[in-house]
Amino acid sequence: MAFSETEQPAGQHPVLGVLGGLGPMSTVYFYEMVTSHTLAEKDQDHLDIVISSRATTPDRSAFILGQSKEDPFSIMEQDAENLVRYGATVLAIPCNTAHYFYDRLRRSLSVPVLSMIQLTVQAAKAQGCTKLGILATTGTVASCSYQRMCAAEGLDFAVPDEEYQNILMDDIIYGQIKQGRPVDLAAFMRVADNLKAQGCQRAVLGCTELSLIKRDCGLDEFFIDSSEVLAKASILACGKTPVGFSI
């Protein structure tokens, strides 16, 4: 849901809960992004945030693709409930693949959960995009989370051809970023060029690991960073003013 600062539960001080660890470095970057982009003159002007970073949560893509029988949902639900008990009034999940479980999780909780995927597709549409490329894990692609949201918002979409999707998933996301190794930027740009060749005007960095490429290497306006979109929405949802975003 596209949750705004006007929809806070009555009588509650806003507290952002971050369901993280999916993966850990993406959670670190998301927290840094929220903090650095909040208009503040002193500590007390920043958001109150509680973070769960359970790195041992079973792999989301492996479960979605049928490569593992370990269902991550029960752990995600438990951690989300713990965040709410600790005071969270709205939740953010800085992991696109984990949004496969979004509807189940939202129904199980008493507080709103921001939809990273809906917010990102809406941001692309607001920028005038009519065909969105999807750069994401193979689990996210297989779940059709972005494809369904694009259809709901009236956008055409494309995913990389199989060869390029394998490069993105196996080499870049799992073989490089998740292992803390330098990214082969030339290979990443070849994947992006495949989406441009399919007529895409923008491409979403639809895996929070890919957000680290933008942080470390710099990327042009062809790319829409889902982490940035979620960070901006999180700041607004807690009644604060976001600054310095390009979206």
Side-chain angles (χ1 to χ4, degrees):
M1 63 183 298
F3 185 79
S4 75
E5 71 273 23
T6 62
E7 301 174 86
Q8 282 295 330
Q12 287 185 273
H13 179 75
V15 178
L16 177 66
V18 179
L19 187 60
L22 316 168
M25 189 56 69
S26 299
T27 302
V28 171
Y29 182 42
F30 178 75
Y31 178 40
E32 178 185 359
M33 190 183 301
V34 168
T35 304
S36 63
H37 286 282
T38 299
L39 181 65
E41 296 181 354
K42 57 185 184 298
D43 290 349
Q44 291 74 21
D45 292 336
H46 284 280
L47 275 65
D48 287 336
I49 304 175
V50 290
I51 300 173
S52 171
S53 185
R54 193 185 293 268
T56 54
T57 304
D59 189 279
R60 283 66 60 199
S61 282
F63 179 77
I64 293 168
L65 296 170
Q67 298 168 352
S68 170
K69 293 184 179 180
E70 287 189 273
D71 188 343
F73 178 76
S74 61
I75 292 176
M76 290 173 57
E77 183 182 38
Q78 176 186 341
D79 288 345
E81 290 172 349
N82 287 338
L83 289 170
V84 174
R85 279 194 290 269
Y86 203 74
T89 59
V90 58
L91 262 59
I93 311 170
C95 173
N96 288 272
T97 309
H99 278 66
Y100 174 81
F101 307 96
Y102 174 81
D103 289 332
R104 289 171 65 191
L105 191 64
R106 178 177 54 84
R107 288 193 297 266
S108 73
L109 298 174
S110 59
V111 303
V113 183
L114 296 168
S115 172
M116 187 182 216
I117 291 176
Q118 180 182 18
L119 290 161
T120 301
V121 171
Q122 289 174 341
K125 184 177 181 179
Q127 292 181 3
C129 177
T130 59
K131 186 168 185 177
L132 181 64
I134 302 167
L135 295 168
T137 65
T138 304
T140 297
V141 171
S143 74
C144 293
S145 299
Y146 269 103
Q147 295 93 314
R148 284 195 298 270
M149 193 59 69
C150 284
E153 293 290 336
L155 297 187
D156 197 2
F157 57 84
V159 299
D161 294 339
E162 183 176 2
E163 172 191 356
Y164 294 99
Q165 180 61 38
N166 290 339
I167 292 172
L168 184 67
M169 178 71 169
D170 299 336
D171 298 343
I172 295 172
I173 296 175
Y174 276 77
Q176 295 167 8
I177 301 175
K178 283 185 178 290
Q179 295 186 30
R181 297 169 55 203
V183 169
D184 184 343
L185 187 59
F188 174 74
M189 294 308 297
R190 287 195 296 272
V191 178
D193 287 343
N194 179 251
L195 293 176
K196 291 179 181 179
Q198 296 185 59
C200 295
Q201 300 140 332
R202 297 284 191 277
V204 57
L205 299 175
C207 169
T208 48
E209 265 82 14
L210 298 179
S211 300
L212 301 173
I213 299 178
K214 183 175 182 181
R215 182 195 68 180
D216 296 339
C217 303
L219 296 173
D220 63 26
E221 63 182 13
F222 177 71
F223 301 94
I224 299 175
D225 186 357
S226 61
S227 293
E228 288 186 16
V229 173
L230 182 62
K232 182 178 181 180
S234 297
I235 295 167
L236 289 170
C238 290
K240 300 293 185 177
T241 301
V243 293
F245 286 107
S246 60
I247 50 174

